[in-house]
Amino acid sequence: MNQTYVMPVPPFPLDPAQEAKLQGRLSGFKSGYDEGYLRGRLAILDGRPEEPLPVRDLHVMYVASGKGYPYSPLDEAVLAALQTLTTRVTVTDVRQNLVELAGRERPELIFVLDGMDLPLEQVDALRASGIRTAIWLTDDPYYTDFTMKIVSHYDYVFTLERNCIEFYRQLGCREVHYLPFAAFRPHYRPTLTRSPIRRDVSFIGSAYWNRVHFFRGIMPQLMEFNTVINGIWWDRLPEAPLYGERIEIGKWMSPQETAAAYSGSKVVLNVHRSHIDDVVNNNTLQIPAASPNPRTFEIAATGTVQLIDSREDIATFYTPGEEIDTFASPEEMLDKIRFYLTHEEERRNMAIKAMERTLRDHTYTKRIHQALTIIYGE
């Protein structure tokens, strides 16, 4: 049910100074009301328990990426979901002797995250012993020069990029499935009290060259708002020193810090990295990306409006214009920022719907349940 704050009308005329003072006070009251109403609605959603899913009588050996941050929060999310949905989980990582460990613990499934540093002879030995093996690839399509060499060693391949499915099947993988990442609720949730962070617009992410070029042409207009950019490599932007602390350079933010920044922002921008980047990518075939990045789900989970550059598969997960909004150019993005900063009710409703959809459909528990159903059936 939508709520509207109605400003009271004074019963007598005011002089200009009194009028300005009253309008400022009423504007402050309205701002407080709007934020209180939004955070109250988000608190109700945040307090709802997740839909219970069946627990399988299954022993899984979870092989963590072994790469540390920023992969470790993904490991935490996947592990928590496995522990919720199976009766036993043995935890290890790519640096251990998995063959020896599996010989002692006798798991029924080896589930690997990333797997780039896992010796393939160990995977082959595990598979030869009759244990099912599965890998969830974390960076498709950006490192397909490497992943194409490892996927055929697994029984099941899960990719977060739809355009990689047929590519891996052509390499001889029989079981390739689309499984995007999600939002881990303990990490990504809204600030439920009045947020200490007060931003109009946020962007959090590394300064890949396509992002630098995208933002550079509109920086004066973008910085007319209370905009803050966080992430590594932003010294690539020549104008960065002009904006001081509003462009934070060289810091990896924890999930909790990131969630607080999202939740304290009226609008959060999501600009995907490019599948063409000779500096950091290893994607010689230039397989394009159609699927949303993990931040899509994480932003939505914090109860804020997200403006995301259009990708082919976005509408599979969120309804554009209702739960999330898209843009096809920097100019369209600026127009939509202006709209949501001046249309409180629309902004609030979109933020609530995005969080509701995320908690219903896009959690790691849901994703791992999907993976286990693919492997073992209903």
Side-chain angles (χ1 to χ4, degrees):
M1 178 178 175
N2 294 333
Q3 299 289 323
T4 302
Y5 180 88
V6 180
M7 287 190 179
V9 178
F12 47 82
L14 301 175
D15 63 41
Q18 291 174 319
E19 176 74 20
K21 186 175 181 180
L22 177 61
Q23 290 301 321
R25 182 178 300 170
L26 293 177
S27 178
F29 286 156
K30 181 180 185 306
S31 176
Y33 173 87
D34 288 338
E35 181 166 2
Y37 178 73
L38 172 62
R39 299 203 182 277
R41 290 287 304 273
L42 297 179
I44 292 172
L45 291 175
D46 189 59
R48 290 179 184 173
E50 193 167 346
E51 174 193 5
L53 294 169
V55 177
R56 297 174 185 270
D57 185 12
L58 181 66
H59 179 192
V60 179
M61 178 183 289
Y62 177 61
V63 185
S65 65
K67 289 185 173 181
Y69 197 82
Y71 290 84
S72 51
L74 299 175
D75 283 317
E76 185 178 346
V78 176
L79 176 59
L82 284 170
Q83 290 173 330
T84 299
L85 297 174
T86 65
T87 53
R88 183 182 174 192
V89 180
T90 297
V91 185
T92 185
D93 63 44
V94 296
R95 295 164 294 190
Q96 310 307 314
N97 188 320
L98 303 186
V99 177
E100 289 184 2
L101 183 60
R104 293 194 304 270
E105 301 296 332
R106 305 185 67 80
E108 297 153 89
L109 173 66
I110 308 291
F111 195 92
V112 178
L113 185 74
D114 181 67
M116 301 279 273
D117 298 327
L118 178 58
L120 294 176
E121 60 270 18
Q122 292 201 40
V123 182
D124 293 340
L126 292 165
R127 196 175 178 185
S129 71
I131 302 174
R132 296 190 195 191
T133 59
I135 186 169
W136 197 359
L137 299 169
T138 59
D139 293 290
D140 281 340
Y142 308 110
Y143 300 110
T144 47
D145 293 353
F146 301 138
T147 57
M148 66 184 296
K149 300 174 183 177
I150 67 176
V151 287
S152 61
H153 293 262
Y154 290 86
D155 295 304
Y156 294 87
V157 176
F158 296 99
T159 175
L160 48 68
E161 175 48 56
R162 190 184 69 184
N163 282 345
C164 283
I165 297 173
E166 187 58 32
F167 173 61
Y168 292 142
R169 287 176 178 167
Q170 290 175 357
L171 295 175
C173 302
R174 295 178 57 190
E175 294 282 354
V176 185
H177 302 275
Y178 184 28
L179 193 70
F181 282 159
F184 185 41
R185 291 188 66 177
H187 288 170
Y188 291 95
R189 59 196 317 168
T191 302
L192 300 179
T193 57
R194 187 174 179 86
S195 176
I197 297 174
R198 312 289 292 177
R199 302 180 183 179
D200 289 337
V201 181
S202 280
F203 176 80
I204 299 175
S206 301
Y208 294 108
W209 283 113
N210 72 295
R211 292 172 174 170
V212 172
H213 298 321
F214 179 90
F215 283 118
R216 189 176 184 191
I218 58 166
M219 284 301 291
Q221 300 97 310
L222 186 61
M223 288 300 183
E224 289 177 2
F225 313 111
N226 175 20
T227 300
V228 179
I229 295 174
N230 307 91
I232 63 172
W233 304 335
W234 281 102
D235 51 345
R236 290 176 170 181
L237 182 70
E239 296 81 8
L242 298 176
Y243 301 103
E245 294 181 354
R246 295 175 67 190
I247 298 182
E248 186 179 41
I249 296 172
K251 179 183 177 182
W252 279 110
M253 296 173 67
S254 70
Q256 292 79 7
E257 290 175 308
T258 302
Y262 289 159
S263 189
S265 304
K266 293 182 178 180
V267 175
V268 177
L269 307 177
N270 187 357
V271 180
H272 289 89
R273 62 187 286 190
S274 173
H275 67 282
I276 302 173
D277 188 327
D278 294 337
V279 177
V280 296
N281 287 356
N282 290 272
N283 181 18
T284 302
L285 296 177
Q286 296 188 358
I287 298 171
S291 302
N293 59 16
R295 289 190 186 276
T296 305
F297 308 106
E298 295 163 356
I299 294 168
T302 63
T304 190
V305 162
Q306 177 176 182
L307 295 182
I308 185 170
D309 56 329
S310 297
R311 271 197 172 179
E312 192 176 335
D313 211 25
I314 295 293
T316 302
F317 303 95
Y318 295 100
T319 303
E322 293 185 16
E323 300 165 330
I324 198 171
D325 212 342
T326 62
F327 56 87
S329 69
E331 293 72 26
E332 185 181 9
M333 184 191 76
L334 289 171
D335 287 343
K336 290 191 174 182
I337 290 173
R338 295 185 187 103
F339 176 84
Y340 287 109
L341 292 183
T342 55
H343 291 75
E344 175 62 31
E345 186 172 338
E346 289 85 349
R347 184 181 72 85
R348 185 175 63 209
N349 290 343
M350 181 170 286
I352 292 168
K353 289 178 181 179
M355 181 176 170
E356 189 169 28
R357 177 72 180 273
T358 304
L359 300 188
R360 185 180 73 237
D361 296 337
H362 304 313
T363 67
Y364 276 92
T365 309
K366 292 286 174 63
R367 298 288 195 260
I368 292 298
H369 173 69
Q370 182 182 346
L372 294 176
T373 300
I374 288 169
I375 297 171
Y376 290 100
E378 296 291 345

PDB file of all heavy atoms in Angstrom, residues 207-222:
ATOM      1  N   ALA A 207      37.983   0.160 -12.185  1.00  0.00           N
ATOM      2  CA  ALA A 207      37.993   1.055 -13.345  1.00  0.00           C
ATOM      3  C   ALA A 207      38.518   0.337 -14.578  1.00  0.00           C
ATOM      4  O   ALA A 207      39.598   0.635 -15.093  1.00  0.00           O
ATOM      5  CB  ALA A 207      38.827   2.293 -13.050  1.00  0.00           C
ATOM      6  N   TYR A 208      37.734  -0.635 -15.057  1.00  0.00           N
ATOM      7  CA  TYR A 208      38.054  -1.207 -16.365  1.00  0.00           C
ATOM      8  C   TYR A 208      37.944  -0.084 -17.398  1.00  0.00           C
ATOM      9  O   TYR A 208      37.194   0.874 -17.224  1.00  0.00           O
ATOM     10  CB  TYR A 208      37.097  -2.351 -16.683  1.00  0.00           C
ATOM     11  CG  TYR A 208      37.254  -3.542 -15.765  1.00  0.00           C
ATOM     12  CD1 TYR A 208      36.288  -3.828 -14.798  1.00  0.00           C
ATOM     13  CD2 TYR A 208      38.362  -4.377 -15.854  1.00  0.00           C
ATOM     14  CE1 TYR A 208      36.435  -4.915 -13.946  1.00  0.00           C
ATOM     15  CE2 TYR A 208      38.507  -5.474 -15.010  1.00  0.00           C
ATOM     16  CZ  TYR A 208      37.550  -5.737 -14.050  1.00  0.00           C
ATOM     17  OH  TYR A 208      37.703  -6.793 -13.204  1.00  0.00           O
ATOM     18  N   TRP A 209      38.694  -0.236 -18.491  1.00  0.00           N
ATOM     19  CA  TRP A 209      38.781   0.868 -19.437  1.00  0.00           C
ATOM     20  C   TRP A 209      37.431   1.257 -20.026  1.00  0.00           C
ATOM     21  O   TRP A 209      37.165   2.433 -20.274  1.00  0.00           O
ATOM     22  CB  TRP A 209      39.783   0.545 -20.547  1.00  0.00           C
ATOM     23  CG  TRP A 209      41.205   0.710 -20.088  1.00  0.00           C
ATOM     24  CD1 TRP A 209      42.147  -0.246 -19.932  1.00  0.00           C
ATOM     25  CD2 TRP A 209      41.837   1.956 -19.720  1.00  0.00           C
ATOM     26  NE1 TRP A 209      43.338   0.292 -19.485  1.00  0.00           N
ATOM     27  CE2 TRP A 209      43.178   1.644 -19.350  1.00  0.00           C
ATOM     28  CE3 TRP A 209      41.421   3.279 -19.658  1.00  0.00           C
ATOM     29  CZ2 TRP A 209      44.080   2.624 -18.926  1.00  0.00           C
ATOM     30  CZ3 TRP A 209      42.318   4.258 -19.243  1.00  0.00           C
ATOM     31  CH2 TRP A 209      43.621   3.921 -18.886  1.00  0.00           C
ATOM     32  N   ASN A 210      36.553   0.293 -20.250  1.00  0.00           N
ATOM     33  CA  ASN A 210      35.245   0.673 -20.806  1.00  0.00           C
ATOM     34  C   ASN A 210      34.467   1.550 -19.829  1.00  0.00           C
ATOM     35  O   ASN A 210      33.725   2.456 -20.225  1.00  0.00           O
ATOM     36  CB  ASN A 210      34.438  -0.570 -21.193  1.00  0.00           C
ATOM     37  CG  ASN A 210      33.924  -1.344 -19.995  1.00  0.00           C
ATOM     38  OD1 ASN A 210      34.730  -1.889 -19.219  1.00  0.00           O
ATOM     39  ND2 ASN A 210      32.623  -1.426 -19.820  1.00  0.00           N
ATOM     40  N   ARG A 211      34.651   1.316 -18.521  1.00  0.00           N
ATOM     41  CA  ARG A 211      33.985   2.155 -17.523  1.00  0.00           C
ATOM     42  C   ARG A 211      34.607   3.551 -17.479  1.00  0.00           C
ATOM     43  O   ARG A 211      33.895   4.553 -17.346  1.00  0.00           O
ATOM     44  CB  ARG A 211      34.071   1.489 -16.151  1.00  0.00           C
ATOM     45  CG  ARG A 211      33.247   0.211 -16.034  1.00  0.00           C
ATOM     46  CD  ARG A 211      33.523  -0.514 -14.740  1.00  0.00           C
ATOM     47  NE  ARG A 211      32.633  -1.660 -14.545  1.00  0.00           N
ATOM     48  CZ  ARG A 211      32.789  -2.572 -13.596  1.00  0.00           C
ATOM     49  NH1 ARG A 211      33.827  -2.483 -12.743  1.00  0.00           N
ATOM     50  NH2 ARG A 211      31.935  -3.569 -13.500  1.00  0.00           N
ATOM     51  N   VAL A 212      35.915   3.612 -17.580  1.00  0.00           N
ATOM     52  CA  VAL A 212      36.583   4.916 -17.597  1.00  0.00           C
ATOM     53  C   VAL A 212      36.065   5.746 -18.765  1.00  0.00           C
ATOM     54  O   VAL A 212      35.700   6.921 -18.609  1.00  0.00           O
ATOM     55  CB  VAL A 212      38.112   4.738 -17.690  1.00  0.00           C
ATOM     56  CG1 VAL A 212      38.795   6.090 -17.908  1.00  0.00           C
ATOM     57  CG2 VAL A 212      38.658   4.067 -16.426  1.00  0.00           C
ATOM     58  N   HIS A 213      35.995   5.137 -19.955  1.00  0.00           N
ATOM     59  CA  HIS A 213      35.526   5.866 -21.129  1.00  0.00           C
ATOM     60  C   HIS A 213      34.056   6.261 -20.998  1.00  0.00           C
ATOM     61  O   HIS A 213      33.644   7.344 -21.426  1.00  0.00           O
ATOM     62  CB  HIS A 213      35.737   5.028 -22.391  1.00  0.00           C
ATOM     63  CG  HIS A 213      37.175   4.710 -22.670  1.00  0.00           C
ATOM     64  ND1 HIS A 213      38.193   5.615 -22.470  1.00  0.00           N
ATOM     65  CD2 HIS A 213      37.779   3.570 -23.108  1.00  0.00           C
ATOM     66  CE1 HIS A 213      39.355   5.066 -22.795  1.00  0.00           C
ATOM     67  NE2 HIS A 213      39.125   3.823 -23.178  1.00  0.00           N
ATOM     68  N   PHE A 214      33.260   5.370 -20.402  1.00  0.00           N
ATOM     69  CA  PHE A 214      31.838   5.650 -20.231  1.00  0.00           C
ATOM     70  C   PHE A 214      31.622   6.867 -19.332  1.00  0.00           C
ATOM     71  O   PHE A 214      30.858   7.784 -19.665  1.00  0.00           O
ATOM     72  CB  PHE A 214      31.138   4.424 -19.633  1.00  0.00           C
ATOM     73  CG  PHE A 214      29.666   4.605 -19.392  1.00  0.00           C
ATOM     74  CD1 PHE A 214      28.743   4.280 -20.374  1.00  0.00           C
ATOM     75  CD2 PHE A 214      29.195   5.099 -18.177  1.00  0.00           C
ATOM     76  CE1 PHE A 214      27.383   4.452 -20.158  1.00  0.00           C
ATOM     77  CE2 PHE A 214      27.839   5.277 -17.952  1.00  0.00           C
ATOM     78  CZ  PHE A 214      26.940   4.947 -18.944  1.00  0.00           C
ATOM     79  N   PHE A 215      32.298   6.890 -18.189  1.00  0.00           N
ATOM     80  CA  PHE A 215      32.073   7.960 -17.220  1.00  0.00           C
ATOM     81  C   PHE A 215      32.769   9.261 -17.611  1.00  0.00           C
ATOM     82  O   PHE A 215      32.279  10.351 -17.285  1.00  0.00           O
ATOM     83  CB  PHE A 215      32.550   7.524 -15.830  1.00  0.00           C
ATOM     84  CG  PHE A 215      31.610   6.588 -15.136  1.00  0.00           C
ATOM     85  CD1 PHE A 215      32.004   5.305 -14.791  1.00  0.00           C
ATOM     86  CD2 PHE A 215      30.322   6.983 -14.821  1.00  0.00           C
ATOM     87  CE1 PHE A 215      31.138   4.434 -14.146  1.00  0.00           C
ATOM     88  CE2 PHE A 215      29.433   6.125 -14.177  1.00  0.00           C
ATOM     89  CZ  PHE A 215      29.853   4.841 -13.845  1.00  0.00           C
ATOM     90  N   ARG A 216      33.886   9.166 -18.298  1.00  0.00           N
ATOM     91  CA  ARG A 216      34.686  10.365 -18.528  1.00  0.00           C
ATOM     92  C   ARG A 216      33.905  11.452 -19.270  1.00  0.00           C
ATOM     93  O   ARG A 216      34.016  12.644 -18.953  1.00  0.00           O
ATOM     94  CB  ARG A 216      35.965  10.016 -19.293  1.00  0.00           C
ATOM     95  CG  ARG A 216      36.918  11.191 -19.355  1.00  0.00           C
ATOM     96  CD  ARG A 216      38.226  10.863 -20.023  1.00  0.00           C
ATOM     97  NE  ARG A 216      39.111  12.015 -19.945  1.00  0.00           N
ATOM     98  CZ  ARG A 216      40.248  12.147 -20.606  1.00  0.00           C
ATOM     99  NH1 ARG A 216      40.670  11.169 -21.401  1.00  0.00           N
ATOM    100  NH2 ARG A 216      40.977  13.245 -20.482  1.00  0.00           N
ATOM    101  N   GLY A 217      33.100  11.054 -20.233  1.00  0.00           N
ATOM    102  CA  GLY A 217      32.386  12.047 -21.020  1.00  0.00           C
ATOM    103  C   GLY A 217      31.265  12.757 -20.283  1.00  0.00           C
ATOM    104  O   GLY A 217      30.781  13.794 -20.747  1.00  0.00           O
ATOM    105  N   ILE A 218      30.854  12.204 -19.131  1.00  0.00           N
ATOM    106  CA  ILE A 218      29.723  12.805 -18.406  1.00  0.00           C
ATOM    107  C   ILE A 218      30.073  13.186 -16.981  1.00  0.00           C
ATOM    108  O   ILE A 218      29.176  13.493 -16.183  1.00  0.00           O
ATOM    109  CB  ILE A 218      28.517  11.841 -18.393  1.00  0.00           C
ATOM    110  CG1 ILE A 218      28.914  10.500 -17.748  1.00  0.00           C
ATOM    111  CG2 ILE A 218      27.953  11.633 -19.787  1.00  0.00           C
ATOM    112  CD1 ILE A 218      27.732   9.625 -17.392  1.00  0.00           C
ATOM    113  N   MET A 219      31.353  13.175 -16.622  1.00  0.00           N
ATOM    114  CA  MET A 219      31.727  13.446 -15.234  1.00  0.00           C
ATOM    115  C   MET A 219      31.196  14.776 -14.711  1.00  0.00           C
ATOM    116  O   MET A 219      30.682  14.827 -13.579  1.00  0.00           O
ATOM    117  CB  MET A 219      33.246  13.375 -15.076  1.00  0.00           C
ATOM    118  CG  MET A 219      33.799  11.959 -15.063  1.00  0.00           C
ATOM    119  SD  MET A 219      33.125  10.917 -13.740  1.00  0.00           S
ATOM    120  CE  MET A 219      33.857  11.690 -12.315  1.00  0.00           C
ATOM    121  N   PRO A 220      31.267  15.890 -15.450  1.00  0.00           N
ATOM    122  CA  PRO A 220      30.733  17.142 -14.890  1.00  0.00           C
ATOM    123  C   PRO A 220      29.253  17.045 -14.524  1.00  0.00           C
ATOM    124  O   PRO A 220      28.839  17.499 -13.455  1.00  0.00           O
ATOM    125  CB  PRO A 220      30.978  18.154 -16.017  1.00  0.00           C
ATOM    126  CG  PRO A 220      32.134  17.604 -16.777  1.00  0.00           C
ATOM    127  CD  PRO A 220      31.926  16.110 -16.754  1.00  0.00           C
ATOM    128  N   GLN A 221      28.465  16.439 -15.412  1.00  0.00           N
ATOM    129  CA  GLN A 221      27.032  16.299 -15.117  1.00  0.00           C
ATOM    130  C   GLN A 221      26.793  15.312 -13.983  1.00  0.00           C
ATOM    131  O   GLN A 221      25.951  15.526 -13.111  1.00  0.00           O
ATOM    132  CB  GLN A 221      26.272  15.838 -16.368  1.00  0.00           C
ATOM    133  CG  GLN A 221      26.377  16.792 -17.546  1.00  0.00           C
ATOM    134  CD  GLN A 221      27.460  16.375 -18.527  1.00  0.00           C
ATOM    135  OE1 GLN A 221      28.603  16.108 -18.131  1.00  0.00           O
ATOM    136  NE2 GLN A 221      27.113  16.313 -19.806  1.00  0.00           N
ATOM    137  N   LEU A 222      27.529  14.199 -13.970  1.00  0.00           N
ATOM    138  CA  LEU A 222      27.343  13.188 -12.936  1.00  0.00           C
ATOM    139  C   LEU A 222      27.691  13.742 -11.565  1.00  0.00           C
ATOM    140  O   LEU A 222      27.022  13.441 -10.568  1.00  0.00           O
ATOM    141  CB  LEU A 222      28.213  11.967 -13.258  1.00  0.00           C
ATOM    142  CG  LEU A 222      28.051  10.742 -12.361  1.00  0.00           C
ATOM    143  CD1 LEU A 222      26.618  10.208 -12.425  1.00  0.00           C
ATOM    144  CD2 LEU A 222      29.036   9.650 -12.774  1.00  0.00           C
TER     145      LEU A 222
END
